[in-house]
Amino acid sequence: MNKGITLIELTLAMAIVVTALAIVISASGRNNDYRSVYNAARILQADMRYTQRRAVTEGRRFYVFFELENNVYHIGTRAPVVYYHTKELPYGVIFSPTSFNQNGNLAGFLPRGTPSQAGTIALQKGRYRRRLTVTPAGGRVEIQPVDIIGG
C-alpha cells in the first residue's frame, strides 16, 4: 500500500482551493463596493442634516455645494461664499447625475430648516448606487435603497 499522494491529487486539490479563493475574493470586492457606497451615503446624509441644523441655529441660509467632477462637496454659505467644511468622497465612489444641478449643484436650507429646493443626489461605486433625496416640505434627507446597475 502506497500512503503518499499523487501529483494528480495534489493538482486537483490546489485547483479546488484556488477556485474557492477566487470566488471569495470577487464576492468581497462587490461587498466592499456596496459598503463604500452605503457608508458614503450615510456620511453625506449626516452632513446634510448638519447643514440644515446650522441654518436653523445661525438663522441664515446654508448650502451643500457639490463638485461633481471632483467628487467633493463643501458646506457653507453663498453670499459671500464661505466653505466651513470640505469633504471628499471615499476612493472609487463618485457622484452620479443630480437633480440639484439646476441651481449650480447645491442643496440649500433656509433658516427655518426647510430646503430651498427639493432634489436628489446619487453616489455610485461599481454596480451599486444610492440616492439621497431631500423632501420639499419638511426637509428630510432620506437614503433610498441600493440600485444594482446592469444586473
Side-chain angles (χ1 to χ4, degrees), residues 19 37 39 47-48 52 71 81 94 96-98 100 118-119 130 147:
T19 303
V37 170
N39 290 336
D47 286 342
M48 290 179 84
Q52 184 179 30
N71 296 313
V81 175
I94 60 170
S96 287
T98 170
F100 287 118
R130 280 252 199 219
D147 295 334

Side-chain angles (χ1 to χ4, degrees), residues 20-95:
L21 191 58
I23 291 170
V24 168
I25 289 173
S26 72
S28 70
R30 286 192 297 268
N31 241 359
N32 286 339
D33 288 354
Y34 173 84
R35 270 189 250 125
S36 294
V37 170
Y38 178 78
N39 290 336
R42 296 291 297 212
I43 290 168
L44 179 56
Q45 179 187 39
D47 286 342
M48 290 179 84
R49 287 179 176 165
Y50 164 80
T51 305
Q52 184 179 30
R53 284 191 308 274
R54 189 133 185 206
V56 171
T57 304
E58 294 193 20
R60 61 185 175 144
R61 291 179 183 219
F62 267 80
Y63 298 89
V64 178
F65 301 87
F66 299 106
E67 281 187 44
L68 302 181
E69 62 282 348
N70 296 322
N71 296 313
V72 172
Y73 61 94
H74 311 278
I75 297 170
T77 59
R78 193 166 182 189
V81 175
V82 177
Y83 294 147
Y84 294 99
H85 300 284
T86 296
K87 294 210 177 165
E88 191 172 342
L89 294 179
Y91 178 76
V93 178
I94 60 170
F95 286 119

